[in-house]
């Protein structure tokens, strides 16, 4: 008798799956290794996690790092406001702590136009950070309006409107353990 394959119900919401849970796990493990070999254990750099989207990636990443490797701060930054297109403006809270003369790792979910990361990097530079590196889970394969030098990258993904693993549509689907395109967005990029 054949056993049914275990189904991942949550991913059934998607019209097309582009990144599987296994690919996410492998990418996070690789990024964690890269981060570990870059930051000295006793230096306590700052990690700035851009909310909401990067929370899922950051939680999985930090679970694989020594607890005291970073002083983690979550920081609200958004450029999509319930739509499928970047709004063109980046809204942020105040920086959660002083970054003067600090080593900072900025963690985000996805590098699309680069507007969000560019804005945050400017903010940190102006606030006196001594070293800034960037770590994103996904990089979209598209011409980036703002070129950003990524230091750590999980996976490259097609230039589509994606949901899952922190990426939302109207506040939903962030919890999916896979990434893909919703049925209603299959025809659009
Ligand atoms: P950027 O400023 O690089 O254009 O976009 C960065 C932010 O826009 C990301 O942190 C993410 O919150 C959002 N974003 C970009 N592309 C997508 C996407 O395909 N799906 C979703 N849900 N959000 C995206
Ligand atoms: Mg974001």
């Amino acid at each position: 008798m054949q056993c049914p394959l275990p189904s991942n119900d949550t991913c059934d919401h998607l019209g097309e799956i582009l990144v599987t849970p296994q690919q996410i796990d492998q990418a996070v493990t690789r990024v964690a290794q890269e981060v570990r070999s870059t930051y000295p254990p006793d230096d306590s750099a700052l990690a700035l996690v851009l909310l909401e989207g990067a929370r899922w990636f950051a939680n999985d990443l930090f679970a694989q790092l020594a607890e005291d490797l970073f002083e983690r701060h979550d920081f609200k930054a958004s450029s999509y406001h319930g739509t499928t297109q970047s709004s063109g403006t980046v809204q942020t809270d105040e920086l959660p702590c002083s970054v003067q003369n600090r080593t900072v790792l900025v963690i985000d979910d996805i590098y699309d136009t680069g507007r969000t990361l560019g804005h945050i990097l400017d903010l940190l530079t102006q606030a006196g950070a001594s070293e800034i590196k960037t770590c994103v889970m996904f990089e979209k394969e598209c011409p980036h309006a703002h070129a950003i030098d990524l230091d750590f990258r999980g996976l490259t993904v097609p230039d589509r409107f994606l949901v899952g693993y922190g990426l939302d549509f109207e506040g939903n689907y962030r919890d999916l353990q896979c990434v893909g395109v919703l049925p209603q967005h299959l025809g659009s990029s």
Side-chain angles (χ1 to χ4, degrees), residues 50-54 75-80 107-110 116 166-168 174:
L50 304 190
L51 299 185
E52 283 293 319
F75 182 51
K76 202 157 180 57
S78 61
S79 61
Y80 280 35
I107 300 179
D108 204 3
D109 48 6
I110 191 165
T116 307
L167 300 169
D168 75 306
R174 292 194 198 270

Side-chain angles (χ1 to χ4, degrees), residues 113-148:
T113 66
R115 192 177 288 117
T116 307
L117 280 170
H119 180 87
I120 301 295
L121 297 184
D122 286 349
L123 211 67
L124 292 170
T125 306
Q126 283 160 20
S130 56
E131 183 203 286
I132 309 168
K133 289 192 191 297
T134 52
C135 176
V136 302
M137 181 57 202
F138 302 110
E139 175 177 2
K140 266 195 192 170
E141 288 168 325
C142 63
H144 307 291
H146 302 254
I148 306 289

Side-chain angles (χ1 to χ4, degrees), residues 88-117:
T89 57
V90 182
Q91 295 176 350
T92 61
D93 288 344
E94 295 275 303
L95 280 174
C97 60
S98 166
V99 299
Q100 181 98 38
N101 298 323
R102 299 291 304 268
T103 295
V104 185
L105 178 65
V106 180
I107 300 179
D108 204 3
D109 48 6
I110 191 165
Y111 169 31
D112 180 6
T113 66
R115 192 177 288 117
T116 307
L117 280 170

Side-chain angles (χ1 to χ4, degrees), residues 39-80:
Y39 288 91
D42 48 5
D43 214 27
S44 195
L46 277 175
L48 209 59
V49 179
L50 304 190
L51 299 185
E52 283 293 319
R55 189 194 297 281
W56 284 255
F57 170 43
N59 286 350
D60 287 348
L61 184 66
F62 283 109
Q64 298 194 35
L65 300 175
E67 241 174 67
D68 56 356
L69 189 58
F70 290 99
E71 182 185 318
R72 172 178 172 168
H73 290 274
D74 292 354
F75 182 51
K76 202 157 180 57
S78 61
S79 61
Y80 280 35

